[in-house]
Amino acid sequence: MATMTCIEDLRVLAKRRVPRMFYDYADSGSWTETTYRSNQDDFQRIKLRQRVAVDVDQRSLRSRMIGQDVAMPVALAPTGLTGMQHADGEILAARAAEKCGVPFTLSTMSICSIEDVAAHTKAPFWFQLYVMRDRDFIERLIDRAKAARCSALMLTLDLQILGQRHKDLKNGLSAPPKPTLANLLNLATKPRWGLGMLGTRRHGFGNIVGHVKGVEDMGSLSAWTSQQFDPRLTWEDVAWIKKCWGGKLILKGVMDAEDAQRAADSGADALIVSNHGGRQLDGAPSSISALPAIVDAVGSRIEVWIDGGIRSGQDVLKAVALGAKGTLIGRAFLYGLGAQGQAGVEHCLNIIRNELDITMAFCGKTDIHQIDRGVLQHSPW
């Protein structure tokens, strides 16, 4: 596949190069995967309005997300185990985002640590936080994000209980991964990936191992994480985290207008309409179908972004047309990372940028801030 023209091409190459258990971890949803599929399929139900004889010679995609200048209204979403798609994956993805002028978000469950990413990049990045029962660890994690000059904290609200992902169970994905015969045979077919992993020391969860009492290796990590995600998380905890952090706060995982009102009341700077990529509540609506009602409810009070199902610049334009002030991509950039490392993430972002730019021109617009429902021929919502 010498010529890759779309995100799907990157996905196909990533599937060839990344071990099955880690590819499936990224490219799967919970239970029947209905919501996972709807996230992408529902974008195709939205039709664009083509315009002609409009001067579109000079165009701009530049925007701002929580006051930060961005080359286009796109950010890299937090994704766990990114460093298992490609050696040093979080560092490479952050560098690609920096080069392309968009924000990068580091997951709590990353392979490369906060300090590692900060040491290998120049632009400030965002840090995503899961709330654990160990509140002392959370406070120290927030302090580490501050020390690393992270410019925003993204608090994920929808993963206090894990949705069941059948592929992970069948593949034996755990910490550490189970060395089954099937897994070992599959690893033997991925020499490029294996050589990359041999060349790095980053194989564990860098934000956790060595930073929690009693968690010094991957084996002890598994027992700790299985007990730590805190199902008692409430809006009072959001207020506590906001106070501890003291900076820009983004709330991820909002799918209901009532919850969106609570998010706006919390004083957060942005909320993300997200169903966790269809990896949690199967049977929930797609992110794009939930977006308009949430924009109508709180769009004048808080920045509303969207995450889930975006695979093209056209998807970005459709989300902006329905009121999103920003979009996040997760699987799309992971495909690029798994396929080609940093160059693949840059390729992913350039594909999305070019598609967004050209589509905007076909719709008769020259500035991303001109995009509204007027560019849509049809939307079911």
Side-chain angles (χ1 to χ4, degrees):
M1 298 186 67
T3 302
M4 286 176 283
T5 60
C6 59
I7 301 302
E8 174 62 11
D9 289 344
L10 292 171
R11 186 196 68 78
V12 171
L13 185 55
K15 189 173 184 179
R16 292 180 186 173
R17 291 185 170 177
V18 178
R20 180 178 55 241
M21 70 166 64
F22 298 122
Y23 173 83
D24 283 351
Y25 171 79
D27 197 36
S28 64
S30 63
W31 288 312
T32 66
E33 298 191 335
T34 301
T35 299
Y36 162 62
R37 292 189 298 272
S38 294
N39 272 352
Q40 192 170 349
D41 292 345
D42 281 356
F43 271 103
Q44 308 312 310
R45 299 171 60 192
I46 305 169
K47 303 305 176 185
L48 299 171
R49 183 182 175 199
Q50 181 175 322
R51 304 301 302 276
V52 297
V54 178
D55 182 353
V56 292
D57 182 50
Q58 301 295 320
R59 301 183 299 279
S60 174
L61 303 178
R62 299 203 64 83
S63 188
R64 292 173 70 82
M65 295 174 71
I66 54 169
Q68 180 174 331
D69 289 329
V70 292
M72 58 180 171
V74 174
L76 299 194
T79 54
L81 290 174
T82 301
M84 290 290 111
Q85 302 297 318
H86 190 287
D88 302 335
E90 290 87 0
I91 291 171
L92 300 183
R95 285 175 169 173
E98 182 177 321
K99 186 173 180 179
C100 294
V102 300
F104 168 78
T105 318
L106 182 70
S107 170
T108 291
M109 305 305 293
S110 60
I111 301 301
C112 302
S113 69
I114 303 172
E115 293 80 8
D116 248 350
V117 175
H120 290 86
T121 55
K122 295 179 181 178
F125 56 93
W126 300 341
F127 181 68
Q128 174 269 339
L129 181 70
Y130 286 124
V131 178
M132 308 293 191
R133 293 179 184 271
D134 186 344
R135 292 301 200 262
D136 178 65
F137 170 69
I138 294 302
E139 289 183 338
R140 287 185 283 112
L141 200 54
I142 290 173
D143 287 341
R144 289 168 60 197
K146 290 179 183 178
R149 300 181 301 110
C150 292
S151 55
L153 187 72
M154 184 181 293
L155 175 59
T156 295
L157 299 174
D158 63 348
L159 199 136
Q160 301 319 114
I161 296 175
L162 290 174
Q164 179 169 305
R165 301 152 196 171
H166 298 332
K167 291 177 183 176
D168 290 350
L169 293 174
K170 291 176 179 177
N171 288 331
L173 185 70
S174 60
K178 296 176 181 177
T180 64
L181 178 60
N183 287 338
L184 292 173
L185 290 174
N186 183 255
L187 284 172
T189 68
K190 315 295 180 183
R192 182 192 298 259
W193 182 91
L195 286 172
M197 288 299 169
L198 287 174
T200 182
R201 57 181 171 77
R202 304 175 181 95
H203 302 125
F205 289 99
N207 291 324
I208 299 173
V209 176
H211 296 280
V212 177
K213 185 177 180 180
V215 180
E216 303 301 332
D217 54 36
M218 289 291 280
S220 54
L221 170 72
S222 180
W224 183 82
T225 54
S226 67
Q227 301 169 3
Q228 278 297 317
F229 287 100
D230 194 349
R232 301 169 300 178
L233 175 67
T234 68
W235 290 104
E236 285 71 26
D237 296 301
V238 174
W240 171 71
I241 289 168
K242 184 176 187 300
K243 182 178 179 181
C244 289
W245 171 244
K248 298 284 187 179
L249 180 65
I250 304 159
L251 301 181
K252 182 175 183 287
V254 177
M255 288 289 292
D256 182 87
E258 186 174 337
D259 289 337
Q261 294 282 6
R262 297 294 299 271
D265 292 342
S266 76
D269 298 277
L271 67 83
I272 304 174
V273 179
S274 169
N275 52 37
H276 217 95
R279 295 163 63 78
Q280 288 293 89
L281 176 61
D282 191 36
S286 66
S287 295
I288 190 63
S289 67
L291 174 66
I294 290 176
V295 169
D296 289 345
V298 299
S300 62
R301 301 176 56 203
I302 186 173
E303 287 188 31
V304 177
W305 303 346
I306 184 174
D307 173 49
I310 294 173
R311 301 290 187 273
S312 69
Q314 287 200 341
D315 293 342
V316 173
L317 184 136
K318 291 172 182 179
V320 173
L322 290 175
K325 300 299 183 184
T327 64
L328 285 87
I329 57 170
R331 290 185 176 97
F333 95 78
L334 289 179
Y335 298 149
L337 180 67
Q340 297 177 318
Q342 180 177 334
V345 180
E346 291 175 19
H347 196 171
C348 162
L349 288 167
N350 287 331
I351 286 171
I352 287 176
R353 188 196 185 285
N354 290 337
E355 290 174 343
L356 175 57
D357 177 59
I358 292 171
T359 301
M360 187 172 70
F362 278 132
C363 292
K365 302 298 182 181
T366 58
D367 192 293
I368 194 68
H369 297 102
Q370 296 173 342
I371 302 302
D372 57 22
R373 281 180 173 263
V375 306
L376 305 181
Q377 188 72 43
H378 167 74
S379 170
W381 310 289

